Amino acid sequence: GAVVSQHPSWVICKSGTSVKIECRSLDFQATTMFWYRQFPKQSLMLMATSNEGSKATYEQGVEKDKFLINHASLTLSTLTVTSAHPEDSSFYICSARASGGSADTQYFGPGTRLTVL
Amino acid sequence: GQSLEQPSEVTAVEGAIVQINCTYQTSGFYGLSWYQQHDGGAPTFLSYNALDGLEETGRFSSFLSRSDSYGYLLLQELQMKDSASYFCAVRDPETGGFKTIFGAGTRLFVKA
């Protein structure tokens, strides 16, 4: 099946620093990638939709200036958490939909656990 | 808005059968999906039902009744490794099915 990777798998940073998370589709091209945030024992909450070659679409309540998304190619999307604070500590998961694929199947990355001290 | 409801926790013994229910309220419908997520891991796709009836994939089966806005995931011959969270999900009709909305998840505990 399709493989999506994320890097890093975990990161610990100091409050006020920025952290970049990469999401790559390894064996298919993804015109669209989704970024989710998941707090412990909670569901996945969609943060934004990343579109190759255009601006990301953010969900209501998600600060676009804090969570910068860049979808530079058909296989790579990055999420940068700027000026991170402890409340940003969470599990960040990306998913990708193959070009021309149906929306009912998303391929998820392994997730990045962010801890802000 | 769209909403999904599923039990928060289910406990069962190894070798048993367990059913995880999901009811949904959506303004439109593109099908019901199920995902499995182990602690610290990413969700993995299990099944998808667009039409009424039962879909079987090995030990896992998924059922859908569109008239009842209801579906369930059936896990047979439970194994310890099935202990995980299970999410039902629908495609958001307000985005033409583009986005996925996840339920809150059901934590399944399998006991020996």
Side-chain angles (χ1 to χ4, degrees):
Chain A
V3 177
V4 175
S5 71
Q6 275 184 248
H7 177 80
S9 56
W10 60 271
V11 57
I12 301 174
C13 69
K14 292 182 179 180
S15 186
T17 59
S18 294
V19 174
K20 179 186 283 189
I21 302 170
E22 293 186 349
C23 177
R24 293 181 185 272
S25 55
L26 298 185
D27 51 2
F28 67 100
Q29 294 183 328
T31 53
T32 302
M33 291 183 174
F34 301 92
W35 285 98
Y36 295 86
R37 180 166 52 183
Q38 185 179 34
F39 292 106
K41 299 186 180 180
Q42 294 188 21
S43 188
L44 288 82
M45 299 302 297
L46 181 64
M47 298 175 65
T49 303
S50 173
N51 304 297
E52 188 269 335
S54 64
K55 291 183 179 180
T57 306
Y58 290 82
E59 295 301 299
Q60 194 171 11
V62 178
E63 300 175 57
K64 62 180 181 181
D65 294 330
K66 180 170 183 61
F67 299 99
L68 302 179
I69 291 173
N70 183 277
H71 197 143
S73 74
L74 287 172
T75 59
L76 173 65
S77 174
T78 60
L79 168 68
T80 301
V81 183
T82 62
S83 186
H85 291 285
E87 57 265 30
D88 298 323
S89 298
S90 188
F91 193 47
Y92 292 87
I93 308 173
C94 71
S95 73
R97 185 158 59 98
S99 304
S102 64
D104 55 277
T105 304
Q106 293 185 60
Y107 303 101
F108 286 88
T112 297
R113 187 162 302 283
L114 170 63
T115 302
V116 184
L117 302 177
Chain B
Q2 328 300 326
S3 67
L4 300 100
E5 286 191 18
Q6 53 183 130
S8 58
E9 285 187 10
V10 173
T11 301
V13 297
E14 204 171 10
I17 299 173
V18 72
Q19 179 175 311
I20 299 174
N21 299 318
C22 175
T23 56
Y24 58 87
Q25 286 190 324
T26 58
S27 55
F29 186 68
Y30 291 85
L32 186 70
S33 300
W34 288 93
Y35 290 82
Q36 178 192 60
Q37 185 182 31
H38 287 97
D39 285 345
T44 56
F45 173 79
L46 291 178
S47 68
Y48 170 69
N49 294 68
L51 303 175
D52 293 348
L54 191 68
E55 295 281 343
E56 298 182 63
T57 307
R59 294 188 297 114
F60 293 2
S61 303
S62 58
F63 172 83
L64 175 67
S65 169
R66 288 174 295 171
S67 60
D68 296 321
S69 297
Y70 163 77
Y72 65 72
L73 180 68
L74 191 72
L75 296 83
Q76 303 182 72
E77 300 174 19
L78 278 175
Q79 302 175 8
M80 297 297 287
K81 66 178 182 179
D82 296 329
S83 293
S85 291
Y86 293 84
F87 296 89
C88 57
V90 294
R91 290 158 56 185
D92 184 3
E94 293 185 2
T95 62
F98 186 72
K99 299 177 184 176
T100 301
I101 300 171
F102 290 86
T106 298
R107 289 181 65 85
L108 171 64
F109 298 95
V110 180
K111 302 188 299 184

